[in-house]
Amino acid sequence: MKGFLPSRTRRYADRGDAGRQLATALDSYRGQRPLVLAIPRGGVPIGRIVADALDGDLDVMLVRKLGSPINCEVAIGAVDEQGRVQLTARSEMVGAGMNYVRAEAARQLAVIRKRRACYSPNAHPADPTGRVVIVVDDGLATGATMRAALHALRQHHPAALVAAVPVAAPDSLQSLEDLADDVVCLHAPAHFRAVGAFYEDFHPVDDTEVMRLLSAPPRAAAGLPVAEPVTFDLPDACLPGDLAMPPHARGLVIFAHGSGADRDSPRDRRLAQFLQQAGMGTLLFNLLTPEEELSRAAVFDIATLACRLASVVAKVRVDPALGQLPLGLFGAGTGAAAALVVAAQRPRDIVAVVLRSGRPDLAGAGTLARVTAPTLLVVAGEDRQVLSLNRAAQRRIPGKNELAVVPGATHLFKEPGTLEAASKLARDWFARWLGARARPPRRKPTGGRYTDRLAG
């Protein structure tokens, strides 16, 4: 049970405060585009923040507790959206017979169906199959609702099932261990009273607030700009993209996805967040059509990738709102080669280049010799072959350049903390050069300079 942090006292200012702290504790799931399922109503403000911070998707997990016949506020079990009932040992203690349980379950199921119609009138519930699923609530008392949610979700075979709450009774947490792959709780006081006792502001959440949070543009709650859909009509393809511009952007970074990836790549979207938080705009677009992504020949057609990227750069340059911004190029995989080709072709337009797990060798020796934009090559320490190719290509680049190695990382940076390290390196490089509104020299310098360093 990871993330279980018992302590003597902890109070949250409100659900927003709890959500931000919980998102930090769940940071290891960033980059996996998790499905965050919030238990209404109190769990939804927290779920919105967690989903935005982890670049995940948000939906509600509709489970209702079954109230005791003696005190309706005390849970004797719960019912899920499919009508499955989970009972606690308390149900026998308070004398809840099956007739009562069936009637109470029917009453709560009617509430569930009403809420689904209210919260998602034009959409089906999100499919958890094969995904990392994080179930969040504002706290656990008996834990009956969370247990019912986890039990129902397990039937859909998620890739990983996580229960996450800011505060819980210790015995309730223990009861989740066999149902979840991971249980993350920030505070489990030995003397648990009620969930609301651990919040300074624990106002009731109504349906209006739930609907607002569910319909809010993704990432708005995290203070990030909302991406605007754009389309590039090129002679050989129509390419969709996402443009996100923070206020008073200091520059724009155009992404060149490679090796079959597209603008939905969780690794690239995580980097885009880092850049946006640093005041830079980002443009992520698909270099390939869906059919081309399935073709190895198309993925390695550097000439076509570079031609499309150059066309997008040209369109950005004549755009009244974007044309005066310093431009950076980020390339991954085969997209790295395309980025270098465009940097060599358009030295007055491209201010800086960052490559991650790239194949710069595919750009060709002649192209590398014409790259004058400051270039950072970020490579995983355990990706030996790609590291060797990057070192060889680096020596052919005449302009300012560095090679940064992220220790312990493999090609896709799946190891904890490695993707963040790579993203911070890219952010700092672009901030350095775009922030200064640098321009590459017009003539090729007579001597090159490169360094090789380790990323901490």
Side-chain angles (χ1 to χ4, degrees):
M1 182 168 62
K2 297 182 290 183
F4 173 38
L5 304 176
S7 60
R8 294 183 180 178
T9 58
R10 176 176 291 199
R11 284 175 65 87
Y12 303 103
D14 52 23
R15 291 183 179 89
D17 177 26
R20 287 185 288 273
Q21 293 189 46
L22 192 60
T24 299
L26 292 164
D27 191 68
S28 61
Y29 293 101
R30 195 191 307 274
Q32 301 181 50
R33 197 124 192 212
L35 172 60
V36 177
L37 295 178
I39 296 177
R41 298 181 180 108
V44 178
I46 292 174
R48 177 78 272 171
I49 292 172
V50 169
D52 289 346
L54 301 184
D55 200 18
D57 299 316
L58 176 68
D59 199 354
V60 287
M61 183 66 199
L62 294 179
V63 181
R64 292 281 293 176
K65 71 179 181 181
L66 305 181
S68 161
I70 299 174
N71 181 352
C72 65
E73 294 300 318
V74 176
I76 60 169
V79 60
D80 65 31
E81 199 164 357
Q82 287 71 43
R84 289 185 287 255
V85 174
Q86 296 287 313
L87 294 177
T88 67
R90 190 188 298 268
S91 63
E92 296 183 3
M93 296 170 57
V94 298
M98 288 310 300
N99 287 338
Y100 173 84
V101 169
R102 279 193 290 266
E104 176 69 358
R107 188 172 73 87
Q108 297 301 339
L109 188 57
V111 175
I112 286 176
R113 288 170 178 165
K114 182 180 178 180
R115 286 189 173 178
R116 176 58 72 185
C118 176
Y119 299 158
S120 310
N122 301 310
H124 295 291
D127 185 4
T129 304
R131 299 191 64 176
V132 173
V133 178
I134 303 174
V135 187
V136 302
D137 204 350
D138 53 14
L140 299 182
T142 67
T145 303
M146 179 65 78
R147 284 194 297 276
L150 296 173
H151 189 272
L153 286 165
R154 186 62 76 184
Q155 314 307 312
H156 293 274
H157 306 290
L161 187 54
V162 182
V165 290
V167 62
D171 56 346
S172 296
L173 284 179
Q174 297 293 334
S175 71
L176 304 182
E177 288 188 327
D178 293 336
L179 297 173
D181 301 307
D182 189 5
V183 179
V184 177
C185 178
L186 303 180
H187 180 39
H191 302 290
F192 185 90
R193 291 168 289 169
V195 172
F198 299 93
Y199 289 83
E200 294 177 15
D201 176 1
F202 197 65
H203 70 271
V205 178
D206 60 23
D207 285 338
T208 300
E209 185 174 357
V210 170
M211 289 186 286
R212 179 185 66 80
L213 291 167
L214 290 176
S215 62
R219 311 185 313 161
L224 296 171
V226 177
E228 173 189 354
V230 294
T231 303
F232 297 97
D233 290 313
L234 306 183
D236 61 341
C238 182
L239 306 176
D242 297 314
L243 175 68
M245 297 298 298
H248 312 295
R250 60 201 293 188
L252 174 64
V253 177
I254 301 175
F255 283 60
H257 314 284
S259 305
D262 59 19
R263 72 187 194 282
D264 290 325
S265 162
R267 291 178 296 280
D268 292 353
R269 285 189 173 272
R270 178 56 184 144
L271 170 58
Q273 285 188 355
F274 271 86
L275 298 176
Q276 293 156 17
Q277 289 168 341
M280 289 172 271
T282 60
L283 173 58
L284 291 79
F285 72 99
N286 293 355
L287 271 173
L288 299 172
T289 66
E291 295 75 20
E292 290 170 337
E293 289 177 359
L294 302 177
S295 167
R296 182 173 176 81
V299 169
F300 281 84
D301 186 350
I302 305 303
T304 297
L305 298 179
C307 181
R308 291 177 179 176
L309 179 59
S311 297
V312 170
V313 169
K315 289 179 179 293
V316 168
R317 267 288 169 246
V318 298
D319 184 272
L322 305 176
Q324 298 306 310
L325 290 173
L327 295 184
L329 294 179
F330 170 81
T334 53
L340 289 171
V341 171
V342 175
Q345 292 174 346
R346 306 179 70 96
R348 300 186 65 180
D349 288 329
I350 306 305
V351 174
V353 178
V354 174
L355 314 176
R356 188 194 65 219
S357 292
R359 290 294 306 275
D361 55 298
L362 297 177
T367 293
L368 294 173
R370 292 186 290 114
V371 175
T372 55
T375 301
L376 174 67
L377 302 91
V378 182
V379 187
E382 301 303 314
D383 198 2
R384 305 297 185 187
Q385 182 177 4
V386 170
L387 178 56
S388 177
L389 292 171
N390 274 256
R391 280 185 171 141
Q394 180 197 14
R395 289 175 172 82
R396 296 181 179 273
I397 298 175
K400 165 69 179 176
N401 63 78
E402 293 185 11
L403 189 148
V405 180
V406 180
T410 53
H411 185 72
L412 296 180
F413 294 89
K414 290 184 176 181
E415 296 70 25
T418 58
L419 181 61
E420 283 66 30
S423 298
K424 290 175 182 177
L425 287 165
R427 176 201 62 194
D428 293 347
W429 188 264
F430 282 127
R432 173 183 176 185
W433 297 102
L434 270 63
R437 303 186 69 87
R439 287 289 186 271
R442 295 188 179 184
R443 292 193 299 269
K444 175 180 171 181
T446 56
R449 184 162 74 91
Y450 64 87
T451 60
D452 190 349
R453 61 189 172 101
L454 290 178

